Amino acid sequence: MGTNERTLILIKPDGIQRGLVGETIARLEKKGLKIVGMKMLHVDKALAKDHYSHLVSKPFYPDLEKFITSYPVVATVVEGKEAVEVVRLIVGPTNATKAEGGTIRGDFSNSTSRNIIHASDSKETAEKEIKRFFKSSELFDYKLVLNEFLYAGDE
Ligand code: UDP
Ligand code: MG
């Protein structure tokens, strides 16, 4: 069973400003995801353009770039079974107005542009995004002793 899939999370400037760092990370931890990297950083314009390259031609991009570069973010890599999909489910859809209660966006945002958190949307994207934000020396391979209680018996 693969319990070592990794995905990137960014708590965006609105998440930090609103005091939601602990709440957000707690939800991921309680699901059983293992934190393998974590840091605070300031996203510069070049990093924003790289990270949101699929959106640079959109009308909202100038606002998105200004926002994501305005204040620090907290970047985290978590690992676990089907981590990419599991984290997207915990985060909820981009448009938080349509996000169900119980999701991070559903509980804490009612906006598309200020939706608290970023999460990689596929395994391929996750691999690229993790490399974009973390050096290999900033990621930690360690045994989570709880794994046998979290996953034992799963296929
Ligand atoms: N975004 C926005 N307006 C839009 C669509 C997206 O401001 O109409 C911002 C929003 O912060 C979103 C980010 O661009 O989270 C990335 O968009 P994407 O479609 O990749 O959504 P996500 O993967 O974050 O759910
Ligand atoms: Mg996305």
Side-chain angles (χ1 to χ4, degrees):
M1 186 211 359
T3 60
N4 59 357
E5 188 173 304
R6 290 179 172 185
T7 191
L8 178 88
I9 287 131
L10 300 177
I11 303 172
K12 301 198 266 193
D14 53 337
I16 295 182
Q17 294 292 329
R18 293 183 51 201
L20 294 171
V21 175
E23 173 78 37
T24 302
I25 300 297
R27 289 181 178 213
L28 302 173
E29 281 187 296
K30 285 185 211 162
K31 182 69 175 176
L33 294 159
K34 174 167 82 169
I35 296 168
V36 296
M38 183 178 271
K39 63 180 174 184
M40 180 176 257
L41 72 145
H42 215 118
V43 174
D44 64 19
K45 286 185 181 184
L47 182 58
K49 283 200 170 69
D50 204 12
H51 184 63
Y52 287 127
S53 59
H54 60 300
L55 300 173
V56 284
S57 59
K58 301 278 185 195
F60 60 81
Y61 183 75
D63 171 75
L64 175 59
E65 185 184 273
K66 195 172 172 203
F67 166 63
I68 202 73
T69 61
S70 62
Y71 289 94
V73 304
V74 171
T76 305
V77 178
V78 295
E79 183 181 291
K81 184 179 149 193
E82 296 182 44
V84 172
E85 187 182 350
V86 162
V87 170
R88 288 291 295 199
L89 289 171
I90 292 170
V91 165
T94 311
N95 177 0
T97 301
K98 306 289 181 206
E100 287 190 53
T103 64
I104 292 169
R105 286 171 169 169
D107 286 349
F108 300 119
S109 167
N110 193 11
S111 163
T112 301
S113 61
R114 303 293 182 267
N115 57 12
I116 314 289
I117 184 168
H118 166 84
S120 308
D121 63 8
S122 71
K123 284 190 219 180
E124 297 68 36
T125 316
E127 279 173 25
K128 280 190 211 155
E129 291 184 343
I130 291 167
K131 285 199 184 104
R132 183 175 297 139
F133 282 87
F134 287 85
K135 297 177 200 151
S136 57
S137 61
E138 294 173 324
L139 296 169
F140 296 85
D141 263 321
Y142 65 96
K143 179 178 161 72
L144 187 68
V145 294
L146 271 177
N147 264 12
E148 69 180 276
F149 298 98
L150 295 168
Y151 299 120
D154 284 18
E155 285 173 21

